[in-house]
Amino acid sequence: MEYQVIARAKSNIDKANVALVDKENWSGYRFRPRTTARLEYVKDKGFQVKLECFESAPLARYKNFMDDVWTDSCMEFFINFAPHKSDLYLNFEMNSAGAWLVGIGPGRDGRTVPEAVVKSGMAPKAKVEADRWSVKLFIPLEVVRELYGDDIEITDGYKMKGNFYKCGEDTPLEHYLSWSPIEAPHPEFHLPQYFSDMTVKF
């Protein structure tokens, strides 16, 4: 599969292509709230991601940076911004209270909190409505370059790899959904071999 990341001079995330986070990779988890993801490239500035889930009263116990938000109702974005030169990917995990965590590494083990993200002051913006909730996050280009190299140039056709997820480990209806399908015996998102192409289109 492939997601086309539209490049724009100014952000207009609601006009970005929609990815459906609807792959139920594991049996026994029947809750499938409609979840969508959008990603855009704001030229020379960075990447904006928006995740939205049609889920009322989402569980949001955690309030702070690096809390265990994946056990709440959670939406996630995993991305390798430079798969042509690195096996490191970022995981951004966010709940409806705006609490979030981030890590970088080649897999589940040995992940670290990227200093570049902390120094940037970036943080998600969450919004809760009667029948849905959403979260937006802007990832500055300077953060991408600090993590993947100053030689990163985002041009037409630039390829990244990633996935979008929806989960809720401790919610009343435990669930695990993805955009790009995953082949694993148990719920697991830290499997970069199942990331799909995300290609920038100018």
Side-chain angles (χ1 to χ4, degrees):
M1 350 181 22
E2 182 177 34
Y3 179 85
Q4 193 172 85
V5 182
I6 302 300
R8 292 188 176 86
K10 294 183 179 180
S11 176
N12 192 356
I13 190 64
D14 289 326
K15 295 294 185 180
N17 290 323
V18 175
L20 295 177
V21 186
D22 61 355
K23 303 300 184 300
E24 187 178 9
N25 303 288
W26 302 280
S27 61
Y29 304 100
R30 305 310 303 175
F31 185 49
R32 299 178 63 180
R34 176 176 168 81
T35 304
T36 60
R38 293 175 171 86
L39 178 65
E40 67 178 0
Y41 174 58
V42 184
K43 294 179 181 178
D44 301 318
K45 293 183 174 65
F47 293 86
Q48 176 101 288
V49 61
K50 180 181 179 180
L51 305 169
E52 184 174 50
C53 180
F54 286 78
E55 176 186 29
S56 59
L59 181 65
R61 298 165 300 177
Y62 291 105
K63 311 297 180 184
N64 303 308
F65 181 56
M66 297 308 294
D67 279 348
D68 295 345
V69 292
W70 72 88
T71 64
D72 281 347
S73 180
C74 186
M75 291 188 283
E76 306 181 359
F77 174 47
F78 287 23
I79 181 75
N80 181 341
F81 282 105
H84 62 283
K85 61 180 292 188
S86 174
D87 62 355
L88 302 180
Y89 65 90
L90 290 153
N91 61 297
F92 300 100
E93 308 179 21
M94 300 160 280
N95 72 6
S96 62
W100 67 304
L101 64 82
V102 60
I104 191 168
R108 172 177 286 280
D109 297 330
R111 302 192 69 73
T112 59
V113 179
E115 185 180 353
V117 170
V118 177
K119 288 191 306 182
S120 74
M122 58 185 283
K125 297 179 180 179
K127 181 179 181 180
V128 179
E129 301 176 70
D131 62 342
R132 73 192 73 179
W133 66 281
S134 62
V135 62
K136 292 194 293 186
L137 181 69
F138 186 77
I139 305 162
L141 184 58
E142 56 262 33
V143 169
V144 174
R145 287 178 172 156
E146 188 167 343
L147 294 173
Y148 291 94
D150 291 337
D151 60 336
I152 296 294
E153 293 293 337
I154 310 299
T155 56
D156 185 51
Y158 185 87
K159 287 191 179 294
M160 308 169 292
K161 283 190 174 290
N163 210 342
F164 303 107
Y165 307 109
K166 173 68 179 80
C167 65
E169 189 171 309
D170 290 344
T171 59
L173 294 171
E174 186 178 357
H175 57 284
Y176 304 92
L177 302 170
S178 69
W179 163 66
S180 182
I182 300 169
E183 295 181 13
H186 305 290
E188 174 61 79
F189 291 163
H190 286 275
L191 295 172
Q193 63 267 38
Y194 296 112
F195 290 179
S196 286
D197 287 340
M198 297 182 172
T199 305
V200 178
K201 178 65 176 177
F202 276 63

